[in-house]
Amino acid sequence: MTHTPDTRSVGLWWRRWYGAGPGHLLLTAASLVLVCYAGLRLLGADEWITVVYWVVGAALVHDLLLVPLYAAIDRILRAVLAPHLINHVRWPATASALLLLVWFPLISRGVDRYERATLLPADVFLVRWLLVTAALFAVSLAVAALRAVSRRRRTGDANPGAREPR
């Protein structure tokens, strides 16, 4: 007597092993093939290997260097800040870091051709990034303050016996 695996048990095994259905893997693989094809068509014969180096290098730097750094900074934030304030620091810091990552060549004055293309002096990008970063933190601080005031009002209104009338 041969035992044929139940279709449900194979499906459960697949989901436990992979984490999603087989359609997800098929769609992801098809997307990867399409991206590779488009990359090969758009880039010259010698340029695609540079993109591969960048992607692999960025993944390694991110996973081996930046993720532990993120985790350490998050632990410090959790130790120093109240739980309701952590995201008010995370959000502007993340947005500022992404802006720095995208605009780093301009901010660091590392690429002369952008100065010629934008017709802006090279020293404005660092100042503008710092101003945007300050504005992001200021908005986040204002939202945190408004939430604190709102929380105090709700606590005061919900517990009228907490304050003694004069």
Side-chain angles (χ1 to χ4, degrees), residues 118-141:
T118 61
L119 301 177
L120 292 172
D123 58 347
V124 300
F125 297 105
L126 174 62
V127 172
R128 289 179 182 181
W129 173 73
L130 290 172
L131 287 172
V132 168
T133 298
L136 289 170
F137 276 97
V139 168
S140 185
L141 178 66

Side-chain angles (χ1 to χ4, degrees), residues 1 5 14 18-19 30 32 40 51-52 59 76 84-85 99 109 115-116 125 129 131 136 158-159 161:
M1 187 162 131
W14 177 264
Y18 178 68
L32 183 62
L40 289 173
V51 174
V52 171
I76 292 169
H84 64 277
L85 294 177
L99 287 171
R109 301 181 197 174
E115 188 174 351
R116 288 190 306 267
F125 297 105
W129 173 73
L131 287 172
L136 289 170
N159 193 0

Side-chain angles (χ1 to χ4, degrees), residues 85-108:
L85 294 177
I86 291 172
N87 285 336
H88 291 284
V89 174
R90 280 182 188 157
W91 179 82
T94 302
S96 176
L98 286 173
L99 287 171
L100 177 63
L101 179 67
V102 170
W103 299 106
F104 186 74
L106 294 174
I107 292 169
S108 67

